[in-house]
Amino acid sequence: MKFEKPILVTKPIAPDREEFLRRVEEVIDSGWFTNMGGQHNALEAELARYLAVENLSLFNSGATALISALKALDLPVGSEVITTPFTFAATPHAIAWNALNVVFADIEADRMTLSADAIERAITPNTSAILPVHVYGFPCDVEAIEGIAKKHNLKVVYDAAHAFTTELDGVPISNWGDITMFSFHSTKLFNTIEGGALVYSDRNLGKKIYELRNFGIKVFDPDEDASEGIKNKDFVSNIGINGKLNELQAAWGRVLLKEVGTEQKRRGLVADAYKELLADIDGIAVPELPSGASNSFQYFPVLFRSEAVRDRVYDRLLAGNVFSRKYFYPLCSDFSVYENLPSSRSSNLPVATDIAGRVLCLPFYGDLQADDIRSIVEIIKSGID
Ligand code: T4K
């Protein structure tokens, strides 16, 4: 069996063409193309409403958002931030870009997210924060992590790149932690082509995040700044970055937001179809979300019995013109820039090492046809036997 056209791991949704083009004309006519313009500010408000959160700041990528989140918390330079190795490179990179030390800790087998026990074991007097990832939209053990953070006075930044709309018992996932980052890259369920956002509960962080996103240029605050008058030297208050989302991408996001719910429903049907067809096959398991968690429908990961079987299935799919992905193999701790860290030893990360060797993300998008799903499963079967 070989597909005529390649089947990729995802197929991004695009906004309604006519409505988007109307917005493009609005942007052109406005003469305002970036730097927190009308489309940008409207999208911030619409997303905050959609996600039922109070404070949301847009960025031009999830990576710049994550870098800025850690920066906003003023963690001591050289302090340690505990994170998972079972993630995309952007997660540990955000720590390193802030001149903080990356410390990898192991994951739980069921959720594939940072293990609370492993976090506790990794804490030293030099630990300043935890950076867990809701990988594939599987919520971390947020209650346990909150307990640890309180006990040891640590900050928590969640990487929710895969967890757009995820809720736990009806509560938005960004309710936990000091700051939560979402990615709006085109491979994500909701996308602005490139983009991301930070959500936070402490309103005071908003001004700092706004400034960090705009080179650190100070926002004039009439209460604080008027008495002294802004001095020239204080014009830039922090070492910021250019993290601004432009007007065209914001316009794209505004139109697309209306279609996300439909795409999620369609992906739900695709997930059901896969589950039904995969249920009776030995040697492959579909990880279950923890109870109370809603599905973001970002990825469809499966676990094989061994690395050899996973790799054989991957190769068979490839031969059939199906591009599944080994997210997240290799582990970030195996990248040459991190492999020499003491926490990168595989003996420190047995569960992550095992899962990364057996996982595969199958093609997953609303437009995937029932016949195609059946053919993909047939190829998988041939690789397992
Ligand atoms: N934290 C986590 C946990 C993340 O997973 C990510 C990003 C981040 C942080 C950082 O967020 P951003 O700064 O990206 O907003 C992709 C994405 O580029 C990346 O956003 C994502 N995670 C990562 C898991 O996947 P690649 O290198 O696998 O992308 P690529 O180009 O191989 O594309 C993947 C598949 O999607 C291919 O089959 C082709 C298809 N595709 C791709 C694009 C760009 C399309 O069909 N259309 C497209 O426009 O990283």
Side-chain angles (χ1 to χ4, degrees):
M1 161 69 204
K2 183 165 181 175
F3 284 91
E4 208 174 296
K5 282 194 185 156
I7 301 271
L8 303 181
V9 74
T10 190
K11 188 175 193 180
I13 49 168
D16 177 79
R17 200 172 292 242
E18 278 185 18
E19 196 179 339
F20 175 60
L21 292 177
R22 269 201 304 278
R23 289 230 180 266
V24 169
E25 289 187 357
E26 253 177 60
V27 172
I28 294 172
D29 291 344
S30 75
W32 192 271
F33 306 144
T34 185
N35 288 12
M36 282 67 87
Q39 302 290 337
H40 173 279
N41 296 343
L43 179 60
E44 273 192 348
E46 285 158 12
L47 273 172
R49 235 188 344 266
Y50 197 86
L51 295 174
V53 300
E54 260 179 52
N55 307 306
L56 181 146
S57 301
L58 279 171
F59 276 79
N60 54 13
S61 77
T64 49
L66 201 53
I67 289 170
S68 305
L70 291 170
K71 180 83 179 156
L73 295 174
D74 283 328
L75 305 172
V77 170
S79 64
E80 294 165 6
V81 178
I82 298 169
T83 195
T84 167
F86 189 63
T87 182
F88 193 57
T91 315
H93 286 356
I95 302 172
W97 269 89
N98 275 283
L100 300 163
N101 287 314
V102 176
V103 174
F104 291 114
D106 208 1
I107 59 174
E108 289 181 37
D110 294 346
R111 300 168 186 252
M112 301 173 283
T113 58
L114 260 182
S115 136
D117 289 346
I119 295 173
E120 287 254 38
R121 283 197 301 275
I123 291 173
T124 73
N126 201 19
T127 306
S128 60
I130 311 169
L131 174 42
V133 179
H134 302 300
V135 73
Y136 311 131
F138 279 58
C140 298
D141 189 350
V142 287
E143 296 295 346
I145 291 172
E146 188 169 290
I148 294 170
K150 276 202 179 124
K151 183 167 147 202
H152 297 275
N153 195 23
L154 303 174
K155 299 288 185 193
V156 181
V157 174
Y158 279 105
D159 178 335
H162 308 163
F164 188 73
T165 71
T166 294
E167 294 181 344
L168 252 185
D169 296 319
V171 178
I173 199 66
S174 56
N175 204 49
W176 286 270
D178 295 279
I179 308 180
T180 297
M181 179 281 284
F182 293 99
S183 161
F184 305 147
H185 182 261
S186 66
T187 53
K188 301 299 183 301
L189 172 83
F190 168 71
N191 78 78
T192 52
I193 303 179
E194 292 274 2
L198 294 181
V199 172
Y200 40 93
S201 48
D202 178 1
R203 261 177 175 278
N204 297 324
L205 272 178
K207 183 160 172 269
K208 201 164 192 186
I209 287 170
Y210 189 103
E211 291 174 352
L212 280 170
R213 180 177 63 180
N214 188 29
F215 311 102
I217 295 172
K218 199 165 162 53
V219 176
F220 181 73
D221 180 334
D223 295 334
E224 270 181 30
D225 304 323
S227 53
E228 283 192 54
I230 287 201
K231 300 184 181 85
N232 281 341
K233 74 176 176 64
D234 292 331
F235 176 63
V236 167
S237 65
N238 210 334
I239 302 174
I241 201 165
N242 182 351
K244 293 167 282 134
L245 187 74
N246 67 56
E247 288 291 276
L248 284 183
Q249 287 176 248
W252 174 286
R254 291 185 71 193
V255 183
L256 197 66
L257 193 55
K258 298 177 190 168
E259 291 161 39
V260 166
T262 308
E263 173 66 7
Q264 269 182 323
K265 283 196 193 104
R266 295 183 77 198
R267 288 186 184 198
L269 297 177
V270 171
D272 289 345
Y274 266 133
K275 278 186 195 160
E276 198 183 322
L277 292 166
L278 294 171
D280 299 328
I281 306 177
D282 272 349
I284 182 169
V286 180
E288 287 284 336
L289 282 167
S291 80
S294 68
N295 199 332
S296 66
F297 295 113
Q298 174 59 55
Y299 290 106
F300 193 84
V302 293
L303 291 168
F304 291 92
R305 115 166 49 92
S306 69
E307 184 161 347
V309 174
R310 190 272 309 266
D311 288 349
R312 195 164 63 227
V313 169
Y314 175 83
D315 288 341
R316 291 272 170 95
L317 286 168
L318 214 52
N321 219 3
V322 178
F323 292 76
S324 62
R325 293 299 286 258
K326 298 179 192 176
Y327 292 134
F328 289 98
Y329 173 90
L331 294 173
C332 292
S333 46
D334 289 334
F335 296 156
S336 56
V337 285
Y338 298 120
E339 67 180 347
N340 292 323
L341 296 176
S343 62
S344 291
R345 293 182 322 270
S346 52
S347 58
N348 186 46
L349 308 166
V351 181
T353 305
D354 173 54
I355 301 267
R358 297 192 289 118
V359 76
L360 197 62
C361 286
L362 301 183
F364 189 52
Y365 45 88
D367 201 30
L368 194 58
Q369 303 300 307
D371 282 353
D372 295 343
I373 299 170
R374 267 191 291 277
S375 303
I376 291 169
V377 171
E378 283 309 309
I379 301 176
I380 292 173
K381 268 189 197 162
S382 79
I384 294 181
D385 296 337

